Amino acid sequence: MEQLIPVNIVVADRSYRIKIKPEEEEAVRRIMKEVNDKIIEFKTAYAGKDLQDYIAMALIMYATHPVTSGGKAQAEVGPFLQEKLQKLEALLDEQLK
């Protein structure tokens, strides 16, 4: 069985605990920083929306763009990112009910 480590990630000022492979930690933290930066960018551009709207906009934008703002291709992270985004979406849905 794979060795997983617990990591706390923050999305829109909410903390979530996930388990990941140790070698994925740096990529996860970088991705979450980009997602949070996008949430802030959308808050600035589209004032008056609900926080869930900003989160959804940021995650959809990030998931549909194969290249990050830094210009590095995310092909090797693709399946990993998709799985994590689905789990994150489920957690957000659960919290927002």
Side-chain angles (χ1 to χ4, degrees):
M1 183 164 191
E2 294 183 65
Q3 188 68 2
L4 300 177
I5 60 169
V7 175
N8 288 323
I9 59 168
V10 176
V11 179
D13 298 326
R14 287 189 102 159
S15 182
Y16 300 92
R17 190 167 183 86
I18 62 172
K19 290 187 177 186
I20 59 173
K21 297 175 189 173
E23 62 270 15
E24 296 172 337
E25 183 176 5
E26 182 180 339
V28 169
R29 291 194 187 281
R30 180 181 47 80
I31 290 165
M32 294 319 304
K33 182 184 181 325
E34 289 180 15
V35 168
N36 281 305
D37 289 347
K38 275 295 173 194
I39 290 169
I40 292 168
E41 186 179 316
F42 284 129
K43 274 184 174 179
T44 304
Y46 303 102
K49 296 247 182 219
D50 185 72
L51 184 57
Q52 183 179 359
D53 293 329
Y54 300 128
I55 294 167
M57 289 163 57
L59 292 176
I60 289 167
M61 193 276 332
Y62 192 84
T64 58
H65 286 75
V67 177
T68 67
S69 58
K72 295 181 180 176
Q74 292 295 310
E76 74 280 358
V77 185
F80 161 76
L81 178 59
Q82 183 176 354
E83 177 187 339
K84 295 301 178 186
L85 284 171
Q86 288 171 341
K87 288 181 180 179
L88 183 58
E89 182 179 17
L91 284 169
L92 289 170
D93 288 343
E94 185 179 308
Q95 291 295 319
L96 294 171
K97 284 185 181 179

